[in-house]
Amino acid sequence: MNQVKAYGTHAADAPLAPLEIERRTLRADDVAIDIMYCGVCHSDLHIAQNDWGTTRYPLVPGHEIVGKVTHVGNDVTRFAPGDLVGVGCMVDSCRSCQACAEGVEQYCLNGVTMTYGNDDRHDGSMTQGGYSTDIVVSEAFVLRMPDGIELSSAAPILCAGITTYSPLRHHGVGKGHKVGVIGMGGLGHMGVKLARALGAEVTVFTRSDAKVAEAKSNGADHVVVSSDDAQMAAVAETFDFMLDTVPVPHDVNPYLAALKYDGTHILVGLIGPVDPPIGGGNLIGKRRMIAGSLIGGIAETQELLEFCAEHGITCDVEMLDIRNINEAYERMQKGDVRYRFVIDMATLNGAA
Amino acid sequence: MNQVKAYGTHAADAPLAPLEIERRTLRADDVAIDIMYCGVCHSDLHIAQNDWGTTRYPLVPGHEIVGKVTHVGNDVTRFAPGDLVGVGCMVDSCRSCQACAEGVEQYCLNGVTMTYGNDDRHDGSMTQGGYSTDIVVSEAFVLRMPDGIELSSAAPILCAGITTYSPLRHHGVGKGHKVGVIGMGGLGHMGVKLARALGAEVTVFTRSDAKVAEAKSNGADHVVVSSDDAQMAAVAETFDFMLDTVPVPHDVNPYLAALKYDGTHILVGLIGPVDPPIGGGNLIGKRRMIAGSLIGGIAETQELLEFCAEHGITCDVEMLDIRNINEAYERMQKGDVRYRFVIDMATLNGAA
């Protein structure tokens, strides 16, 4: 066991503060990682504040982790000290069920082990995330950072990126497809870049005129102001896919109407109710579908990292000193970040 | 033009009564059909009563039509007098758009022409349905009744049958799949027969113990009483598909929970709101989908007729004297029919 520095919280209503946590002694398949950067995801905030009612404390969030391998267990074959690596939302799964066999460990039939707040499958200790100097993870859940990728801005690829890439790939989005992206935040801006790189023609839907220029500067081919009925009517039945990244309840019916027959509306952000309710006729009348998707598998995440390196895709980030994490959470809640905070973990050494 | 006998209504609150309508003189591609049987669909009732607000009067319902060809237009190549044929929910479409080219005329980008209550694309007259002695339809929308199929009980295949068959085929339902059927009416009982014939293992979901025996007698492999929490919990994450034929708002969330990851909930009956709302997490957490589907294309309907003939599948019907149609509508509204009324059109000659 090693005591390592971290930033975490002891209660739903407590601010994040320095604390020390234990990282396990390496098992045979483990990789020890010196964390360089960690992205800040909206789920970090939800779970720190116990918004979903399942949080145990103390808790160290963080699941967009980039760092350097320092040590490896005896059976590790794929990584060596000095390698640049990443860890995303998952650190383990049963590895034997159908979902694991298919490479969709996030749907593990025996329950995936998330990077923080879950019980380790072997020793029962609670997993702790990447707001920390170090982490120890089985090599099966460690990603290789491709040569030349900019490490700090690549960190959010491990959650925001894969969450949008996985459904685009699963549903076969590519050249000739028209894709709408709803919501221009951490997920949405990655969705625009990835859908375009996959060959699709991308339209951003935004509620206000004020965001039109911003959406175009993010690479959108077109922008539709969704509060403008005439603009919405003009795009009726023209889209193959909608990538809906909005995390709060909203009316999906106007977006369904913008889908062609056989079009698919993909939810990646909305855990709560789809309210107002979907009109059944909006699905039936044109054989449309609503699909959900959760992050992505390990092999697919590795594929995405290579894809991003090849296409020069990174996340737009604002670098963060970990001592400002509570202020960053406040700004995230107001939507005041373009588009992802990434903690420079070097700041943690001066923090405690 | 020919005056023919029919049964129809002059107003939303008027009962159905004998009336005369005109059938057009044959165009070059037209087939004239002497109607022998016509199934009674729930939509007939909805449209007769103007439940969807778009009905024009006088209206003759009926879109599950079986009869015999009496005359054909000069350019008709596929049918000859004496042929046994069927006409379903559609009688025309643009025939040139992508949907028509793909054989899904029901999603015609220029608007399909339904069998009754729509404007004919050529002369603008309103189409009138199958509660009538005769109908005239372009050969492109006429189905051939396979040898040996029992004609009266085959009529509902043209709507209730194709409405359930089309999504089963579109989503690739077959051997090794577990399919749940929700709702045991005209659509549901056909869904059970068709899903089983396609090789799936079929479970009927019913709200009450009282219907368990009935569901089994309809060929269900298993029955789950959906109001029994223990029974629902026992089938969590076990189904590949749900075929949901319920036409009124109902909670789909317990059925989503019964789907495996990547499972699909197919709506074919619910035009109104999906209320209570779907939990977004029920889709996202397991990459599940909700899909709609509307009837089926003409080629697919012909395929289904052959499939039914080959597998000995017909609809369970109660034969009806057209003079009792108003009483039949009342019984349908109470769910008192096992499972489809079919009008013996010979009774129309004695009716006026």
Side-chain angles (χ1 to χ4, degrees):
Chain A
M1 292 287 191
N2 294 300
Q3 292 284 115
V4 303
K5 285 187 179 182
Y7 241 69
T9 179
H10 287 275
D13 56 358
L16 269 66
L19 49 76
E20 293 218 327
I21 55 172
E22 289 184 339
R23 295 299 189 188
R24 65 178 178 255
T25 304
L26 296 199
R27 297 172 193 147
D29 66 331
D30 272 344
V31 173
I33 301 163
D34 174 19
I35 301 178
M36 300 161 69
Y37 304 104
C38 186
V40 180
C41 174
H42 237 282
S43 333
D44 294 352
L45 188 157
H46 284 301
I47 296 177
Q49 298 181 346
N50 198 19
D51 288 342
W52 299 330
T54 55
T55 308
R56 289 171 288 161
Y57 299 93
L59 178 87
V60 174
H63 59 207
E64 297 179 344
I65 298 165
V66 171
K68 190 177 284 191
V69 174
T70 56
H71 304 86
V72 299
N74 289 334
D75 294 348
V76 168
T77 58
R78 295 172 45 240
F79 298 100
D83 286 354
L84 294 169
V85 295
V87 176
C89 300
M90 307 182 285
V91 290
D92 208 353
S93 70
C94 83
R95 312 188 193 190
S96 60
C97 72
Q98 186 187 348
C100 290
E102 289 180 356
V104 286
E105 300 88 356
Q106 70 272 34
Y107 307 120
C108 173
L109 300 185
N110 297 302
V112 69
T113 306
M114 304 302 276
T115 302
Y116 58 85
N118 275 191
D119 290 330
D120 178 82
R121 305 182 101 85
H122 303 279
D123 63 22
S125 66
M126 192 174 92
T127 57
Q128 297 285 12
Y131 298 4
S132 171
T133 54
D134 301 83
I135 193 167
V136 175
V137 178
S138 166
E139 70 169 332
F141 285 77
V142 175
L143 291 311
R144 181 172 298 283
M145 300 308 288
D147 287 345
I149 202 165
E150 210 287 292
L151 296 176
S152 60
S153 54
I157 292 170
L158 299 164
C159 171
I162 190 63
T163 297
T164 49
Y165 182 74
S166 181
L168 294 172
R169 288 280 286 152
H170 180 64
H171 292 283
V173 172
K175 208 166 166 56
H177 287 138
K178 296 192 182 196
V179 175
V181 175
I182 310 168
M184 183 49 56
L187 297 181
H189 95 289
M190 287 303 288
V192 172
K193 295 182 190 198
L194 293 168
R196 285 204 73 202
L198 287 166
E201 184 179 333
V202 178
T203 298
V204 166
F205 288 81
T206 176
R207 276 178 298 181
S208 69
D209 283 319
K211 287 204 170 181
V212 171
E214 181 183 325
K216 290 219 167 158
S217 76
N218 275 304
D221 296 299
H222 316 281
V223 182
V224 170
V225 177
S226 59
S227 55
D228 181 331
D229 291 345
Q231 288 192 39
M232 289 299 283
V235 296
E237 295 186 36
T238 59
F239 287 88
D240 299 284
F241 298 94
M242 290 283 169
L243 180 65
D244 184 342
T245 70
V246 179
V248 295
H250 57 286
D251 192 355
V252 303
N253 290 295
Y255 300 108
L256 291 178
L259 287 173
K260 296 177 186 171
Y261 75 92
D262 281 342
T264 302
H265 187 104
I266 303 165
L267 296 175
V268 293
L270 180 58
I271 303 295
V274 184
D275 194 18
I278 297 156
N282 286 339
L283 297 178
I284 290 173
K286 295 285 171 183
R287 199 163 66 180
R288 295 176 180 123
M289 294 192 290
I290 298 191
S293 184
L294 178 71
I295 51 173
I298 293 296
E300 191 173 50
T301 307
Q302 188 64 56
E303 172 190 303
L304 170 60
L305 287 166
E306 315 286 348
F307 182 85
C308 287
E310 185 189 333
H311 290 83
I313 295 173
T314 52
C315 191
D316 297 2
V317 304
E318 179 176 335
M319 293 306 296
L320 186 70
D321 184 315
I322 201 165
R323 288 166 290 197
N324 299 325
I325 184 72
N326 294 298
E327 182 195 334
Y329 274 21
E330 283 170 30
R331 284 182 51 198
M332 278 169 62
Q333 284 185 299
K334 290 185 286 195
D336 176 23
V337 54
R338 298 286 173 282
Y339 289 93
R340 206 70 156 181
F341 287 113
V342 171
I343 302 165
D344 179 351
M345 212 54 71
T347 61
L348 180 52
N349 279 314
Chain B
M1 291 287 190
N2 294 300
Q3 292 284 115
V4 303
K5 283 188 179 181
Y7 241 70
T9 179
H10 286 274
D13 56 358
L16 270 67
L19 48 77
E20 294 218 327
I21 55 173
E22 290 184 338
R23 294 299 189 187
R24 65 178 179 256
T25 303
L26 296 198
R27 298 171 192 150
D29 66 332
D30 272 343
V31 172
I33 301 163
D34 174 19
I35 300 177
M36 301 160 68
Y37 304 105
C38 185
V40 180
C41 174
H42 238 281
S43 337
D44 295 353
L45 188 158
H46 284 300
I47 295 176
Q49 298 180 346
N50 197 21
D51 289 339
W52 300 330
T54 55
T55 308
R56 289 171 289 161
Y57 298 93
L59 178 88
V60 175
H63 59 207
E64 295 179 344
I65 299 165
V66 171
K68 191 177 284 191
V69 174
T70 56
H71 304 85
V72 298
N74 289 334
D75 294 346
V76 168
T77 57
R78 295 172 45 239
F79 298 100
D83 287 353
L84 295 168
V85 296
V87 176
C89 300
M90 308 181 284
V91 290
D92 208 353
S93 69
C94 83
R95 311 189 193 191
S96 60
C97 72
Q98 186 187 348
C100 290
E102 288 179 358
V104 286
E105 301 87 355
Q106 71 271 35
Y107 307 120
C108 174
L109 300 186
N110 296 302
V112 68
T113 306
M114 305 302 278
T115 301
Y116 59 85
N118 276 190
D119 291 330
D120 178 82
R121 304 183 100 85
H122 302 280
D123 64 22
S125 67
M126 193 174 89
T127 57
Q128 297 285 14
Y131 297 3
S132 170
T133 54
D134 301 83
I135 193 166
V136 175
V137 178
S138 166
E139 70 168 332
F141 285 76
V142 175
L143 291 311
R144 180 173 300 283
M145 300 307 288
D147 287 346
I149 203 162
E150 209 287 292
L151 296 177
S152 60
S153 55
I157 293 170
L158 300 164
C159 172
I162 190 64
T163 296
T164 49
Y165 182 74
S166 181
L168 293 173
R169 288 280 286 153
H170 179 64
H171 292 282
V173 172
K175 207 163 166 58
H177 287 139
K178 296 192 182 197
V179 175
V181 175
I182 310 168
M184 184 49 55
L187 298 180
H189 95 289
M190 287 303 287
V192 172
K193 296 183 189 198
L194 293 168
R196 285 205 73 203
L198 287 166
E201 184 179 333
V202 178
T203 299
V204 166
F205 287 81
T206 176
R207 275 178 299 181
S208 68
D209 283 319
K211 287 204 169 181
V212 171
E214 181 184 324
K216 290 218 167 159
S217 76
N218 275 303
D221 296 298
H222 315 282
V223 183
V224 170
V225 177
S226 59
S227 55
D228 182 330
D229 291 344
Q231 287 192 39
M232 289 300 282
V235 295
E237 296 186 35
T238 58
F239 287 88
D240 299 285
F241 299 93
M242 289 284 169
L243 181 65
D244 182 344
T245 70
V246 178
V248 295
H250 57 285
D251 192 356
V252 303
N253 290 296
Y255 301 108
L256 291 178
L259 286 173
K260 295 178 187 171
Y261 75 93
D262 281 342
T264 302
H265 187 104
I266 303 164
L267 296 174
V268 294
L270 179 58
I271 303 296
V274 183
D275 195 18
I278 297 158
N282 286 340
L283 298 177
I284 290 174
K286 294 286 172 183
R287 199 161 67 179
R288 296 175 179 123
M289 294 193 291
I290 298 191
S293 184
L294 178 71
I295 51 175
I298 292 297
E300 191 173 49
T301 307
Q302 187 64 57
E303 172 190 302
L304 171 60
L305 287 166
E306 315 287 348
F307 182 84
C308 287
E310 185 189 334
H311 289 84
I313 294 172
T314 52
C315 192
D316 296 1
V317 304
E318 179 176 335
M319 294 306 296
L320 186 70
D321 185 315
I322 202 164
R323 289 166 290 197
N324 300 326
I325 184 71
N326 294 299
E327 182 194 337
Y329 274 20
E330 284 170 28
R331 284 182 51 199
M332 277 169 62
Q333 284 184 300
K334 290 185 285 194
D336 176 23
V337 54
R338 298 284 173 286
Y339 288 95
R340 206 70 156 182
F341 286 114
V342 171
I343 302 165
D344 179 351
M345 213 53 72
T347 61
L348 180 51
N349 280 314

